[in-house]
Amino acid sequence: GVEVADFGEHGLGLRVTKDIKQGEEVIRVPQKAMMSVDTAKASSIGTLIEKDPLLQTMPNVVLAVHLLIERNSPASIWEPYINTLPHSYTTVLYYTTEQFEQLRGSPALEDALKQYKFVARQYAYFYRLFANTLLKDYLTYDEYRWAVSTVMTRQNLVPGREDADTAVNTLIPLWDLANHDNGVLSTDYDPAAPATLCLAHKDFQLGEEFTIFYGVRANCD
């Protein structure tokens, strides 16, 4: 009932191809199609994750490195999914001196600058870690920032493959193309399948953009 479409300044999204009623199941993504910390542990960096102290304590970073490797792997099963992701990292908004002074001291600006610092430190760490591996050829600062920002804006906690009682950081293909709209949470997990399923949080008509509710968040978030 939905297809990928371009919505201009909103980027890619999902367009409704038939009338959909509130509560109707629209998207079902099987767990085997998802990219997660679990699939990272089963990949070529699995041994590294077991040994490296940073990767052991920061699952979001594990997922970012996993995504970066898969992006540069010609045989990745996630290539069709990765091709739907934004392909570049938008570095920084440019402000006039007056605009910057107005923003100085705001929580959002402080958080953004802290995030820049954390990502730069992580990159320096991994640059040394992968210095003698094939990964160093495409572990550039822009590539790493792309992977981190992609994971930060798209990851969700989903029951793990080995332990369903433990949620793991996960990227969910197709479902994460749905843009935000106010409403009610309408995404759930079917452990019997296992799969993530998404219900329509309101009625949608043919040609409309299919949206989901991300949850209550402040502008700073």
Side-chain angles (χ1 to χ4, degrees):
V2 293
E3 64 183 5
V4 180
D6 190 341
F7 290 93
E9 64 180 12
H10 289 167
L12 295 180
L14 298 176
R15 180 169 53 212
V16 174
T17 60
K18 66 175 184 177
D19 290 348
I20 297 174
K21 296 296 183 182
Q22 182 178 2
E24 182 179 342
E25 183 178 319
V26 180
I27 300 170
R28 178 179 287 263
V29 183
Q31 187 183 53
K32 64 182 180 180
M34 302 177 195
M35 185 185 299
S36 68
V37 170
D38 282 347
T39 61
K41 290 179 178 178
S43 73
S44 59
I45 61 171
T47 302
L48 179 62
I49 296 172
E50 293 178 356
K51 297 179 179 180
D52 186 77
L54 178 62
L55 294 177
Q56 288 176 359
T57 57
M58 299 187 69
N60 59 314
V61 175
V62 170
L63 193 53
V65 174
H66 184 32
L67 174 62
L68 185 57
I69 292 174
E70 293 298 326
R71 186 189 194 188
N72 289 276
S73 172
S76 175
I77 63 170
W78 289 288
E79 181 181 7
Y81 167 59
I82 294 173
N83 287 341
T84 68
L85 299 173
H87 281 202
S88 63
Y89 175 80
T90 303
T91 53
V92 67
L93 294 175
Y94 292 93
Y95 299 103
T96 64
T97 302
E98 181 180 356
Q99 289 172 324
F100 185 82
E101 289 300 327
Q102 292 173 350
L103 287 171
R104 187 186 297 276
S106 71
L109 180 60
E110 291 181 10
D111 287 347
L113 293 176
K114 287 178 182 177
Q115 187 62 36
Y116 264 86
K117 180 177 69 175
F118 295 152
V119 173
R121 284 179 174 176
Q122 290 170 15
Y123 174 72
Y125 178 87
F126 287 120
Y127 184 83
R128 291 193 297 269
L129 186 65
F130 295 119
N132 297 317
T133 70
L134 293 176
L135 185 60
K136 68 178 178 59
D137 293 334
Y138 48 81
L139 185 66
T140 66
Y141 188 38
D142 281 346
E143 284 283 289
Y144 184 70
R145 287 191 294 176
W146 170 83
V148 170
S149 61
T150 297
V151 167
M152 282 181 60
T153 56
R154 292 172 181 264
Q155 67 180 342
N156 287 267
L157 293 176
V158 174
R161 292 189 175 199
E162 302 299 328
D163 182 6
D165 293 329
T166 301
V168 298
N169 300 58
T170 304
L171 296 175
I172 309 174
L174 184 68
W175 175 83
D176 70 4
L177 280 169
N179 290 316
H180 167 79
D181 188 20
N182 290 330
V184 296
L185 292 172
S186 59
T187 297
D188 203 352
Y189 190 77
D190 179 1
T196 291
L197 57 91
C198 180
L199 311 179
H201 71 91
K202 64 179 183 179
D203 291 344
F204 291 93
Q205 294 182 340
L206 172 66
E208 286 186 328
E209 180 178 8
F210 178 78
T211 57
I212 61 176
F213 178 54
Y214 290 180
V216 178
R217 297 175 186 171
N219 285 340
C220 183
D221 294 333

